[in-house]
Amino acid sequence: MKKLFFVLIAVCMAGAVNAQELTNKKGTPILPKAGDWGLGIDATPLFNVLKFNNNAEPAFSSASFYGKYFLNNKTALRGRVRLGFQNLTEITPVDKDGGAAGEQVDDKEIIKNLDILLGFGIEKRIGSTRLQGIYGVEGNLGFGLNNSRKYTYGNEMTSTSVPSTRPTAQNAGFGFQVGVYVFGGVEYFVAPGISLGGELSWGIEYQSEGKGEETVEYYSGGVKTRTEKTPGTSRFGFAKNLRGGINMCFYF
């Protein structure tokens, strides 16, 4: 995605040379002004579908929407909502115990993730052509449940099974995140009230995940189960990586 971001910057800079007029052929203003609203989406999943990013996660596992309100031509308040959901089933063929040569059964793993993020910030912009530089600060609050897993096995547990225990469920604790980030990027107006842009952000954040639990099964005169607590985690400091996105926005 970073390569695509820098390609976008190059395209925008090339287009800016020929974008001296701030109205289209019909005289319609191109740039937003005080009192205008903007509604946008994170267009990265669309590029993933088009296979610009061959290593992308399954498209549309999350979606990000944002809104803007312009206080003046160069300043806007903005809010963001990101909704993420994943329900993935992974199937692994394994040899059937006591079966014929080549006979297999399926082990299944169901993975569920849920996260919600809310953000609010202020955006400043520079430039007077179709190409606008943007920068600002944004605070985020997020929460969710990540990496909850359920396992089913094609072979029954016996006294000679290897390994002697195996998980049947893993329930993650409640996750929480709060952070403050600075961001910067570019926005290019391809038509009146329609823009395509990219930005990167980095900041300081606090993340925590509450205690979870894991259920395992084992053999002891029959198949039995036990549930064990898993420790929670927390971290405070600078974000580990730059975060980026390709955005499409409509202004009214």
Side-chain angles (χ1 to χ4, degrees):
M1 184 178 69
K2 290 183 179 179
K3 291 182 179 179
L4 179 61
F5 177 76
F6 290 117
V7 169
L8 175 65
I9 293 178
V11 172
C12 291
M13 293 181 65
V17 174
N18 299 318
Q20 301 301 320
E21 297 295 332
L22 301 183
T23 61
N24 64 5
K25 294 180 179 180
K26 296 181 179 180
T28 304
I30 292 175
L31 303 179
K33 59 184 182 303
D36 284 355
W37 291 86
L39 296 176
I41 61 171
D42 182 353
T44 305
L46 299 179
F47 287 99
N48 289 342
V49 169
L50 295 174
K51 301 186 183 301
F52 280 91
N53 183 356
N54 293 327
N55 297 318
E57 296 179 357
F60 302 113
S61 60
S62 66
S64 184
F65 308 90
Y66 61 91
K68 301 180 183 182
Y69 177 74
F70 281 79
L71 301 176
N72 55 56
N73 294 1
K74 298 295 184 181
T75 306
L77 301 177
R78 73 182 205 172
R80 181 185 299 270
V81 177
R82 188 186 72 203
L83 304 175
F85 175 76
Q86 184 182 49
N87 191 342
L88 176 66
T89 299
E90 294 186 350
I91 299 176
T92 304
V94 296
D95 292 336
K96 182 178 180 179
D97 291 344
E103 187 176 1
Q104 293 187 314
V105 292
D106 292 333
D107 289 349
K108 296 182 180 180
E109 179 182 9
I110 300 175
I111 306 170
K112 293 185 178 181
N113 290 285
L114 172 66
D115 73 271
I116 300 173
L117 183 141
L118 306 174
F120 182 78
I122 188 166
E123 175 184 292
K124 303 287 287 186
R125 54 183 57 226
I126 55 177
S128 57
T129 65
R130 287 176 182 259
L131 178 65
Q132 302 276 291
I134 59 173
Y135 66 94
V137 62
E138 182 176 280
N140 288 339
L141 173 66
F143 49 91
L145 296 170
N146 294 316
N147 289 319
S148 293
R149 299 168 184 259
K150 183 178 180 180
Y151 303 88
T152 58
Y153 301 94
N155 292 312
E156 294 185 2
M157 172 71 75
T158 68
S159 59
T160 58
S161 294
V162 178
S164 58
T165 63
R166 60 189 184 186
T168 58
Q170 295 174 335
N171 295 313
F174 180 78
F176 175 79
Q177 172 186 329
V178 61
V180 178
Y181 308 88
V182 293
F183 64 86
V186 294
E187 186 174 15
Y188 186 76
F189 286 82
V190 297
I194 302 176
S195 70
L196 181 66
E199 64 181 57
L200 296 173
S201 63
W202 183 77
I204 192 168
E205 58 190 13
Y206 171 78
Q207 297 177 335
S208 71
E209 184 173 298
K211 294 181 179 179
E213 59 182 28
E214 179 182 41
T215 301
V216 300
E217 65 179 11
Y218 61 98
Y219 191 91
S220 179
V223 179
K224 297 183 180 181
T225 63
R226 67 171 181 266
T227 299
E228 305 169 342
K229 295 293 184 180
T230 56
T233 61
S234 63
R235 187 186 75 85
F236 176 76
F238 291 107
K240 293 181 179 180
N241 299 298
L242 285 172
R243 299 185 305 171
I246 305 298
N247 305 318
M248 181 179 295
C249 196
F250 304 88
Y251 294 93
F252 307 91

